[in-house]
Amino acid sequence: MKQLFQSISIIILLFSIISVSGQNKGLKTITEKELRYHMDFLGASEFRGRETPSTELEIATLYLGNWCKNVGLKPFLPNGSFYQSIPISVTKVSTANSRLRVITEKGEETYYYEESFGGNFYTSGSCYGDAIFVGLGLVNKEKGWDDLKDLDLFGKVVILLDEQLPDNQFALGFTYSYRLESRIRAIRDKGAAAVLSIVNMDREKKKAEGQVIFADIPSGRMPIQYDSQRRGIPAPLAKTTDSPLRPNLPFFQAEISHDVASAILRVPKSEIAGMFESVSKGVQVPCKVIPKTLVNLNIEVKTTPATTRNVLALVEGSDPVLKNEYIVICAHHDHLGISDGEIIAGADDNATGTVALMEIAQALLTEKPKQSVIIAWFTGEERGYIGSHYFINNLSIPVEKINTCLNMDMLGRNNPDSLYLVGSDLLSTELDASIHKTNKQFGINLGFNYKYSNLIHPQRVYFRSDQYPHIRFGIPSVWFFCGFTHDYHTPNDILEFIDYKKMLKITKLVYLTAMEVGSKPKLLKLDVNPEVTSRGKHNLQTKSLYENVK
Ligand SMILES: [Zn+2]
């Protein structure tokens, strides 16, 4: 009996060795111990939030590049460097000289930048116009909702509520027009001089508690400027409109506190709170022409040139022909710096992805696929995907040769057994299938959630990390994402909250997915979006990949 047991267990053991042979050696090098080791350094608050650009981000960049050299990775760039320098410019708004004035027959009141209003300003200038209030500023004619109906907005300063309709009102227009940016675009196209959005109740409350709510740009709000390498986003809308009404630049978009709103609308703050309450219930807030009220916005900025760097390494594929095709595995190593005196450490966002990528690179040195792998640590993701955008637009290889982009951004929080796959199923069924196959075959057994894998989700998650610049070129891409938490983009995103078991699972999954995809004899098929059937620059014109606008 004993002998029989032994031989059975030997057979089982042999079988399991055979079934995972190939990827076993590489997989073994990915350990929780090493994840913790690198996280303790790169996720530390001493990096002061790895702001783009900053000395601390440069130290992280050097650490990664130096590590690549030490472990024996090759540089991806033809000049033999691990570092890809990106010229950027940094714009600072003068708090003393930037102000908003409300002028009525009774006199005028002056409000100051950062204290009472804020915004993403990249040029100096001023504007002056009659105030008009447009409620939510939403237009969806098919659904019978039109806040701008019969309004003359030309040259006006338009005030609106920065709020969203409740989720159950998707039927009303679960489209891009839902978002603040697109509402502002529509108003701008009608010739408005400026749009002032009244901050939502949440942010107003924070302001009342003494927080500086205008010091940073609210996440997910930044329109994407793909035609400039500047830090941040001046006016992406200029290209896409041909409205004859649009006045000459500058056009201003600012956020205002309830104090300012109350002065312009001439209503008490409680009434403004009531308007937000209405919108949250899905009730339309009526427009209002405000008689004899002028708003003057005066902005002064100072712009200085700077540089920031990607770190790019290469693992050459094992097949002499297939090595000319590439898989990009990426993660951004920057974060948000310091806000209101507090360090936004970004342990989950995105020290986790940064460190996972180190472990994957190391595994690939042990066991690699037939196709080549580009290991990319991108800078400036939080400031508008600066690094990934620059990378994909300045390739030394044909973009058509990039098979897929596997992006890791936030891997260590939320449900230990579940993971959001964002975009894996939106361009190629093969990409999604490869992730599923790997997950099952190697017993990783994560449950996948596709909530954000949606072109028209109001949070636009598909468009919100470093996979997106790749998607614009028709490259099937996926963002491995643990999901948002209350600590997202706050001082509470710290090492103590990282789930290393979960992070380990995802790291293995991404490595094995690269092995699976990279060992296929052909590029992944583009078989989902009928508008995207081949990789390349021509996809930049593809509307569904740019925005979901009607
Ligand atoms: Zn991130």
Side-chain angles (χ1 to χ4, degrees), residues 332 349-350 381-382 409-410 465 489:
H332 72 87
D349 187 6
N350 186 28
E381 189 271 351
E382 303 287 4
D409 190 356
M410 295 185 256
S465 188
H489 287 189

Side-chain angles (χ1 to χ4, degrees), residues 14-29 318 362-370 441-442 511-512 514-516 519:
L14 271 176
F15 183 74
S16 61
I17 287 167
I18 291 161
S19 72
V20 293
S21 72
Q23 286 91 49
N24 205 7
K25 273 194 284 174
L27 203 57
K28 267 190 189 159
T29 68
S318 61
Q362 200 182 28
L364 287 166
L365 285 171
T366 309
E367 194 84 48
K368 59 188 180 179
K370 293 175 182 165
Q441 186 181 340
F442 291 89
Y511 165 67
L512 293 166
M515 291 298 294
E516 168 70 23
S519 298

Side-chain angles (χ1 to χ4, degrees), residues 29-44 47 50 60 63-64 67-68 73 329-334 345-363 375-378 408-412 495 498-500 503-504 506-508 510-511:
T29 68
I30 301 174
T31 66
E32 186 182 327
K33 193 181 163 200
E34 285 183 16
L35 291 177
R36 284 178 182 271
Y37 171 73
H38 293 301
M39 281 294 286
D40 282 346
F41 185 63
L42 286 167
F47 279 96
R50 305 184 301 276
Y63 178 74
L64 293 167
W67 177 85
C68 286
L73 284 160
I329 313 180
C330 62
H332 72 87
H333 65 294
D334 69 300
D348 188 38
D349 187 6
N350 186 28
T352 55
T354 303
V355 167
L357 189 50
M358 296 172 84
E359 283 296 280
I360 291 168
Q362 200 182 28
I375 305 289
W377 287 278
F378 290 132
M408 297 176 287
D409 190 356
M410 295 185 256
L411 311 178
L495 287 170
I498 300 300
D499 177 348
Y500 288 95
M503 187 181 164
L504 181 68
I506 305 170
T507 308
K508 288 180 175 176
V510 177
Y511 165 67

Side-chain angles (χ1 to χ4, degrees), residues 323-357:
K323 73 175 186 184
N324 296 314
E325 289 167 0
Y326 298 82
I327 290 170
V328 174
I329 313 180
C330 62
H332 72 87
H333 65 294
D334 69 300
H335 197 49
L336 291 165
I338 293 175
S339 178
D340 194 18
E342 290 195 84
I343 293 167
I344 317 287
D348 188 38
D349 187 6
N350 186 28
T352 55
T354 303
V355 167
L357 189 50

